[in-house]
Amino acid sequence: MKNTRNFCIIAHIDHGKSTLADRLLERTGTISARDFHHGQILDDNPLEQERGITIKLHAIQMKYKREKEEFTLNLIDTPGHVDFSYEVSRSLAACEGALLIVDATQGVEAQTISNLYLAIEAGLEIIPVINKIDLPAAATTLEGVKQQVIDLIGCDESEMILASAKSGIGTDDILEAIVERIPAPKGDPEAPLRALIYDSVFDAYRGAIVYLRIIDGTLKAGDKIKFFATPPKYDVEEVGVMVMKRNPVKELSAGQVGYMTASIKNLNDTKVGDTITHVKDGAPEPISGFKEVKPMVFSGIYPADSDDFEDLRTALNKLSLNDSAITFEPETSTALGFGFRCGFLGLLHMEIVQERLEREFEQTIVTTVPNVSYRLIDNNGEVKNISSPVDMPNPGEFKAIEEPYIRAQLITPSEYIGQIMKLCIERRGIFVSQTYITETRVDLTFELPLAEVVFDFYDKLKSNTRGYASLDYEFIDNRPSDLVKLDVLLNGDPVDALSSIVHRQNAHSWGKKLCKKLKELIPRQMFEVAIQAAIGSRIVSRETVKAMRKDVTSKCYGGDISRKRKLLEKQKEGKKRMKQVGRVEVPQEAFLAVLSLDD
Amino acid sequence: MKGVYVHIPFCKHKCTYCDFYSLEGQQDHDTFVHMLCREIELRSAQLSADDVFDTIFIGGGTPSLLSAQHMHTILDCLHKCLNIQSIETTSECNPGAVTNTKLRDFRSMGIDRLSFGVQSFHQEELDVLTRIHSADEARHAIAHARDAGFDNVNLDLIFAVPGQTMARWQSTLEYAVACETDHISAYSLIFEEGTKLNAQKLKGLVQPLPEDLDADMYEYSLAFLAEKGYSQYEVSNHALPGKQCQHNLKYWHGTEYVSFGPSAHGYLHSTRYANVRSLKAYVSSLQEFNLPVVSTETLSEHTKLSEEAFLRLRADGIEMVSLEKKYGVSLASMQPWLQDMQSAGLLEVQDSHIHMTSRGYLMSNTLSADFIHELERSVLHG
């Protein structure tokens, strides 16, 4: 155990996390240089590579030889988005140390900060690494960046490692620091088993592959195990470590990081943050910090072609095998037919699910505007949870409605305080506090309705602060709010999938913007289309799409009837991408129109 | 009864808007006619006693560029090889590529209907369209045809020509009617992909007319021609009583027709086929005694139904009961849609006969696509 080091890397996008990881793998001989032709190793999901973020966690074991001693280094990767902050906290809990990578030309950026704080909170040893020092621009920026890091974590300049992951500068120093500074894991191999699940993925042949860190005790094939958060019991089939691929071992014991399989059919049995122990002589208490991950954002997902409902169900079932955070249940919309109401951790998670459905599962889907879950107190005093605007009664038909509030921590360079204040106030935020972390860096705390944060708040925050501000938030409570349901009518017919729940004071301007946006998105048709927004029976705004005047191919191409038929078929295919609401054809983008409403 | 189409792929000059297959300038007519006759002979071997033909349409290209002798050879071969009981034999003509003598010769060899590519009576528009004939030649075309003994003459007209005004279009229509033409085909100019005109549009050298003016011109033609006694029987076609083009009606009613010549499209024994769109390839194929067919598609009953439905809808309308009977289907569940289209003023339904209104004709692509969509749903789901 004394020769084991468990660590993770905390870095902003493009600051060189994956390149550094590659260098470490190469230097420790875990992988040879010629195996790098497919690019970086850690981000193996194309979506992750595109977005420059890590969605799922991976772990890789390396052997580092120093003189006669050999060390086992376990690199545990972490995602870098607020939607996944709980998962980050769990993978940090599996480590004793973290490399903090900062770009020598960019300086400390916001995205790293909340993860860094999580790491400090978890008691991890932080090794600051200034990367890209060989870039020409670094000559002028390096000193300033060093100072930022010193201000941020209160370290000594001598503790910082100057590196260039690209050219390999500093790689040895980093490996030395990992061994020297990060403490070896503690834990008692003889104590009852306590293993922390920090991730699990689904394999079609093996069932769930559970990534874990043994805190106490040992785990081996054949053990009978159970979880604290879920009832099932399993027989362990295989334990092992990840060395580029799964590498079975006899046993894993206290301090080690590895995986386990046990023919677990349902990923929901293996919840991130839960503790595994033996059925017999198991640990009495789980590792602290487990939280049931609850979806915060909901939206409807429908097949573009109603005939594909069963395919979508199959796709969602498969997708949920390796994304235990998503929830879904059948839902019917008069506009969109049969579909599913899905719950997500946040907006990014929602986008990831949509893209995976389309790319991996080749589904053509229509997604409705996301919303949060509301608590409705009806006239009899009964409480109901509402996760779809459709379920919201008309004004007067309920006693009160409550919406979830969050405490948002925003860390920003001080010059953006004004913009952030403005944004939060516009979003019905309540100012709580303002603390200077360093001379130029401020921690702002607001209480905000979650509903206001799910609508492009993060994007607005990033664009208003040139990407420098970071956001972290936690749910605090549900609060009564003056909320109304805003309906959209097309030629007089309400379109349930376009309804939204909004604050009364915003309803009017919201309705106006929404109608205007829909007018841009709904193409001219054979007849006029009236777009109306309404609260109950009161129309708050109206736009009209004028009828198309002319759509005729005047000649029939002589006897070339096939050509004419193909043109019509193409036109018919175009209609398939539209949703029919009454006689009005609505393009799929329209159902997400609310998300792109500009001020 | 089936139709016969013959494609003559020659033009003095290729008009910039035209996307039919034709070659400019001096070409070897002898070889072409020789090979055309070979195609007719080869094809005739596949015909049975049931294949009887009653219309012939010589199109192009510019059929009037052929010598009377060549035209005679072609018609002679058709009558020898096919079972023809002709009620209508049409030839297309360019007002600038025909003489009185040739018209008389055509008439004497059995051609009884002429279709003139007049396009406009205004020189400005003829120039934009790069027509080889003058406005004067256009004006005299009908008189020459009458002199030669033709009592069934069509004028092709084009509107929505860049630079055209409503007033000029109105005067073109008035002139056509004043000539006492029997039939008018009035087409809205199409910027076809691959044409010179389309390239000019893409470069910004010519400006299409605004959609609203184009639509206004169309609606004006419908109203004006109806008032003058020309009844509309297809999106772009209008005829005096008894003067509808029997050959074109075959296309629009889903009737079969045999076709000859490069790029010609035929429909025979439930199969649509296309000939090669190259004179060179056409000739070399026939020199090897092979039919110059490059693609065939055998239509399912379902496709036939869809085709006939949209073709008839663009033309003189659909008799729902006979369509249901012919294909053994029920279209009852189309009723709500038909009713909506009626209230929207796009379709008219009289008893079981459905036809487009003038607004419907203007929207006929969307309307036809919707119609087949509804029809297919009705057939599939009852």
Side-chain angles (χ1 to χ4, degrees):
Chain A
M1 200 183 333
K2 73 177 177 51
N3 282 6
T4 299
R5 300 292 181 272
N6 301 317
F7 71 104
C8 60
I9 302 178
I10 296 170
H12 187 76
I13 296 169
D14 288 338
H15 280 200
K17 176 167 82 170
S18 300
T19 315
L20 178 65
D22 290 350
R23 275 306 82 69
L24 297 177
L25 294 174
E26 207 178 86
R27 186 61 55 94
T28 54
T30 315
I31 190 164
S32 64
R34 72 190 147 79
D35 287 334
F36 277 97
H37 60 282
H38 283 311
Q40 294 149 343
I41 301 300
L42 281 184
D43 298 338
D44 66 1
N45 178 326
L47 255 177
E48 294 177 0
Q49 286 182 2
E50 249 165 64
R51 289 171 175 262
I53 50 162
T54 312
I55 300 159
K56 295 303 279 184
L57 315 168
H58 308 265
I60 294 178
Q61 186 174 97
M62 298 169 258
K63 296 287 184 196
Y64 175 56
K65 283 196 187 76
R66 196 175 66 159
E67 286 153 24
K68 275 173 194 154
E69 254 182 323
E70 188 182 72
F71 287 87
T72 300
L73 310 184
N74 292 308
L75 166 57
I76 294 164
D77 201 10
T78 57
H81 190 276
V82 62
D83 278 4
F84 303 101
S85 63
Y86 170 70
E87 281 167 309
V88 175
S89 79
R90 292 304 85 200
S91 46
L92 292 177
C95 305
E96 279 78 32
L99 300 177
L100 171 68
I101 312 288
V102 179
D103 186 315
T105 63
Q106 306 288 318
V108 176
E109 290 199 31
Q111 205 183 34
T112 23
I113 295 181
S114 49
N115 283 353
L116 173 68
Y117 284 181
L118 283 173
I120 292 171
E121 214 171 287
L124 267 53
E125 176 68 32
I126 310 290
I127 302 172
V129 177
I130 314 271
N131 193 22
K132 307 194 189 180
I133 55 151
D134 55 349
L135 285 183
T140 51
T141 55
L142 182 60
E143 285 311 309
V145 169
K146 281 185 186 168
Q147 193 55 47
Q148 279 180 16
V149 174
I150 291 167
D151 288 349
L152 190 66
I153 58 173
C155 65
D156 194 85
E157 193 179 337
S158 62
E159 293 172 44
M160 272 184 269
I161 299 171
L162 301 182
S164 165
K166 208 164 180 195
S167 56
I169 300 169
T171 310
D172 290 332
D173 296 339
I174 292 168
L175 285 166
E176 275 302 300
I178 290 169
V179 169
E180 284 298 320
R181 296 195 224 163
I182 296 177
K186 295 187 187 77
D188 180 0
E190 307 303 324
L193 173 69
R194 288 197 307 155
L196 171 72
I197 302 176
Y198 69 86
D199 191 22
S200 59
V201 297
F202 195 80
D203 181 288
Y205 303 103
R206 318 289 300 271
I209 294 169
V210 182
Y211 292 93
L212 43 81
R213 155 75 193 267
I214 311 278
I215 303 294
D216 287 316
T218 55
L219 180 68
K220 55 183 187 305
D223 285 0
K224 275 199 183 337
I225 52 125
K226 63 175 185 179
F227 306 101
F228 278 86
T230 57
K233 296 179 172 63
Y234 290 100
D235 293 329
V236 176
E237 286 178 350
E238 183 179 303
V239 296
V241 295
M242 295 295 290
V243 187
M244 299 322 295
K245 55 186 198 318
R246 287 196 298 275
N247 200 0
V249 296
K250 241 188 211 145
E251 63 169 35
L252 290 171
S253 74
Q256 287 189 297
V257 172
Y259 70 88
M260 164 197 98
T261 65
S263 286
I264 300 168
K265 300 272 185 310
N266 190 346
L267 209 55
N268 284 319
D269 292 345
T270 62
K271 292 184 185 297
V272 169
D274 194 8
T275 303
I276 303 171
T277 193
H278 287 120
V279 173
K280 209 176 146 217
D281 301 325
E285 294 290 329
I287 303 151
S288 65
F290 173 73
K291 268 201 292 191
E292 186 86 47
V293 183
K294 278 205 201 97
M296 298 297 268
V297 176
F298 297 83
S299 88
I301 291 185
Y302 290 82
D305 185 338
S306 333
D307 294 345
D308 299 336
F309 174 75
E310 282 307 321
D311 291 349
L312 179 60
R313 183 203 294 278
T314 311
L316 276 168
N317 273 322
K318 279 192 188 155
L319 185 142
S320 68
L321 288 176
N322 50 36
D323 182 347
S324 56
I326 183 179
T327 64
F328 58 97
E329 50 188 74
E331 172 183 75
T332 316
S333 151
T334 48
L336 300 173
F338 293 104
F340 297 92
R341 174 104 326 219
C342 302
F344 311 95
L345 298 176
L347 271 196
L348 179 77
H349 184 217
M350 175 177 116
E351 285 169 30
I352 290 165
V353 168
Q354 281 168 19
E355 288 198 36
R356 287 190 61 201
L357 282 173
E358 299 209 323
R359 289 196 205 178
E360 284 172 45
F361 298 95
E362 292 173 347
Q363 299 292 304
T364 312
I365 55 170
V366 178
T367 316
T368 64
V369 170
N371 57 266
V372 301
S373 178
Y374 299 90
R375 276 185 87 224
L376 185 100
I377 298 117
D378 70 13
N379 286 334
N380 301 321
E382 273 175 50
V383 176
K384 270 204 313 198
N385 278 321
I386 291 187
S387 60
S388 164
V390 176
D391 301 330
M392 167 119 173
N394 283 324
E397 291 171 17
F398 58 93
K399 204 178 268 171
I401 187 161
E402 295 178 348
E403 63 177 326
Y405 267 69
I406 54 149
R407 181 177 295 112
Q409 184 191 30
L410 299 127
I411 294 165
T412 177
S414 49
E415 67 254 45
Y416 301 116
I417 294 176
Q419 275 99 315
I420 292 181
M421 289 274 186
K422 184 166 170 280
L423 177 66
C424 290
I425 301 297
E426 277 171 4
R427 300 298 178 105
R428 301 192 278 132
I430 301 158
F431 175 74
V432 177
S433 69
Q434 170 179 328
T435 319
Y436 276 80
I437 308 167
T438 69
E439 263 172 46
T440 55
R441 194 162 289 276
V442 181
D443 176 346
L444 291 167
T445 305
F446 274 87
E447 288 174 1
L448 281 153
L450 176 62
E452 297 284 349
V453 178
V454 301
F455 284 128
D456 73 351
F457 181 86
Y458 196 68
D459 292 340
K460 281 264 152 62
L461 178 71
K462 288 288 167 193
S463 64
N464 284 346
T465 62
R466 293 174 47 221
Y468 278 97
S470 73
L471 165 70
D472 195 15
Y473 61 74
E474 56 178 347
F475 171 76
I476 33 182
D477 54 9
N478 285 299
R479 296 179 186 177
S481 228
D482 191 6
L483 300 171
V484 291
K485 180 167 69 150
L486 186 75
D487 290 318
V488 173
L489 296 87
L490 295 179
N491 280 354
D493 295 328
V495 185
D496 54 4
L498 284 172
S499 293
S500 47
I501 295 173
V502 293
H503 195 267
R504 189 183 298 276
Q505 74 186 30
N506 299 335
H508 216 261
S509 63
W510 192 257
K512 244 186 170 156
K513 280 191 237 168
L514 184 54
C515 287
K516 226 173 125 196
K517 187 77 195 178
L518 287 170
K519 186 186 175 175
E520 285 168 29
L521 291 173
I522 296 176
R524 290 174 74 181
Q525 334 220 330
M526 290 193 287
F527 23 73
E528 197 173 279
V529 179
I531 305 167
Q532 294 167 305
I535 300 169
S537 57
R538 192 165 60 87
I539 304 293
V540 297
S541 71
R542 181 196 159 112
E543 295 280 347
T544 307
V545 180
K546 287 210 308 199
M548 202 198 299
R549 205 46 222 289
K550 178 175 179 278
D551 177 25
V552 50
T553 309
S554 62
K555 64 174 177 179
C556 206
Y557 302 110
D560 190 358
I561 305 300
S562 312
R563 177 169 173 189
K564 183 72 197 149
R565 192 182 76 228
K566 275 165 199 156
L567 286 175
L568 285 183
E569 269 162 13
K570 214 168 143 193
Q571 194 150 4
K572 231 173 55 186
E573 280 307 306
K575 285 172 188 298
K576 271 200 177 165
R577 289 194 302 273
M578 303 272 208
K579 278 289 173 185
Q580 194 94 19
V581 178
R583 291 277 173 240
V584 183
E585 280 162 2
V586 184
Q588 290 160 19
E589 316 81 270
F591 293 98
L592 277 170
V594 173
L595 282 185
S596 50
L597 290 186
D598 279 322
D599 306 309
Chain B
M1 296 282 217
K2 301 176 188 190
V4 179
Y5 176 77
V6 180
H7 190 79
I8 310 298
F10 306 122
C11 282
K12 250 188 204 164
H13 160 81
K14 177 96 185 162
C15 299
T16 53
Y17 62 89
C18 176
D19 79 331
F20 287 110
Y21 178 66
S22 74
L23 301 168
E24 290 181 296
Q26 282 297 314
Q27 300 287 340
D28 181 356
H29 290 194
D30 286 342
T31 307
F32 167 70
V33 172
H34 186 51
M35 290 303 129
L36 183 68
C37 290
R38 182 170 293 169
E39 188 194 3
I40 296 168
E41 283 158 18
L42 288 172
R43 178 62 74 180
S44 71
Q46 303 182 345
L47 301 177
S48 71
D50 295 337
D51 296 314
V52 186
F53 303 87
D54 68 354
T55 63
I56 299 174
F57 196 103
I58 319 282
T62 312
S64 55
L65 272 185
L66 289 183
S67 67
Q69 185 51 51
H70 279 144
M71 186 61 94
H72 185 74
T73 308
I74 295 167
L75 288 170
D76 201 43
C77 177
L78 285 173
H79 281 277
K80 259 189 218 144
C81 299
L82 312 177
N83 182 356
I84 293 176
Q85 299 164 17
S86 178
I87 53 162
E88 179 189 279
T89 303
T90 305
S91 173
E92 291 184 334
C93 284
N94 187 312
V98 73
T99 60
N100 290 5
T101 323
K102 195 178 276 178
L103 287 181
R104 265 192 292 272
D105 289 343
F106 277 15
R107 183 68 196 91
S108 68
M109 60 186 76
I111 294 173
D112 52 15
R113 184 174 182 273
L114 289 181
S115 175
F116 280 108
V118 159
Q119 320 311 1
S120 170
F121 293 110
H122 290 277
Q123 196 58 49
E124 297 90 330
E125 285 145 28
L126 292 174
D127 289 345
V128 172
L129 298 171
T130 66
R131 299 292 297 175
I132 54 163
H133 61 84
S134 66
D136 265 349
E137 283 171 317
R139 286 190 192 107
H140 296 131
I142 295 235
H144 292 314
R146 298 289 188 222
D147 285 349
F150 286 94
D151 63 358
N152 194 354
V153 178
N154 168 57
L155 300 184
D156 274 351
L157 302 176
I158 293 183
F159 64 91
V161 177
Q164 192 178 34
T165 59
M166 182 60 142
R168 282 223 301 260
W169 172 236
Q170 289 170 344
S171 81
T172 285
L173 281 173
E174 275 156 23
Y175 201 91
V177 170
C179 294
E180 297 182 326
T181 179
D182 304 284
H183 188 286
I184 291 176
S185 301
Y187 298 104
S188 166
L189 180 65
I190 304 177
F191 292 80
E192 296 284 2
E193 238 175 81
T195 59
K196 274 188 193 162
L197 184 72
N198 196 50
Q200 289 168 348
K201 182 184 100 171
L202 295 176
K203 281 187 206 148
L205 299 174
V206 294
Q207 281 284 326
L209 289 197
E211 182 186 301
D212 274 332
L213 180 54
D214 187 339
D216 288 344
M217 287 178 168
Y218 182 76
E219 284 186 336
Y220 178 83
S221 337
L222 263 49
F224 176 80
L225 292 172
E227 184 199 310
K228 298 293 177 189
Y230 294 84
S231 65
Q232 185 186 15
Y233 70 108
E234 197 256 357
V235 171
S236 310
N237 285 274
H238 311 262
L240 290 178
K243 294 295 173 73
Q244 297 180 339
C245 176
Q246 296 305 308
H247 182 81
N248 282 339
L249 276 174
K250 293 198 194 303
Y251 299 149
W252 306 331
H253 288 168
T255 310
E256 297 197 340
Y257 48 93
V258 66
S259 283
F260 305 104
S263 87
H265 287 74
Y267 177 35
L268 207 57
H269 309 146
S270 299
T271 301
R272 294 204 178 275
Y273 66 88
N275 277 355
V276 64
R277 195 182 158 99
S278 148
L279 180 58
K280 222 174 124 191
Y282 174 80
V283 167
S284 55
S285 170
L286 284 159
Q287 276 168 341
E288 304 288 318
F289 291 87
N290 291 320
L291 281 173
V293 172
V294 283
S295 67
T296 60
E297 183 193 8
T298 301
L299 303 188
S300 63
E301 281 304 295
H302 183 82
T303 309
K304 279 189 202 171
L305 168 61
S306 300
E307 279 194 356
E308 185 169 344
F310 88 74
L311 288 166
R312 280 186 184 271
L313 194 64
R314 293 182 43 99
D316 45 359
I318 299 174
E319 195 61 50
M320 290 292 264
V321 175
S322 21
L323 197 72
E324 284 180 319
K325 243 190 225 155
K326 182 169 174 186
Y327 291 94
V329 293
S330 163
L331 303 176
S333 63
M334 283 183 77
Q335 277 310 322
W337 183 82
L338 288 172
Q339 232 135 50
D340 283 358
M341 293 304 113
Q342 252 184 299
S343 5
L346 295 161
L347 288 180
E348 249 170 60
V349 183
Q350 280 159 344
D351 300 324
S352 85
H353 187 261
I354 301 166
H355 66 95
M356 286 181 176
T357 62
S358 55
R359 272 204 56 218
Y361 276 120
L362 261 176
M363 293 298 306
S364 63
N365 287 355
T366 314
L367 195 54
S368 304
D370 279 11
F371 189 93
I372 333 178
H373 179 72
E374 292 292 326
L375 178 129
E376 284 169 358
R377 231 172 39 180
S378 189
V379 170
L380 285 176
H381 304 296

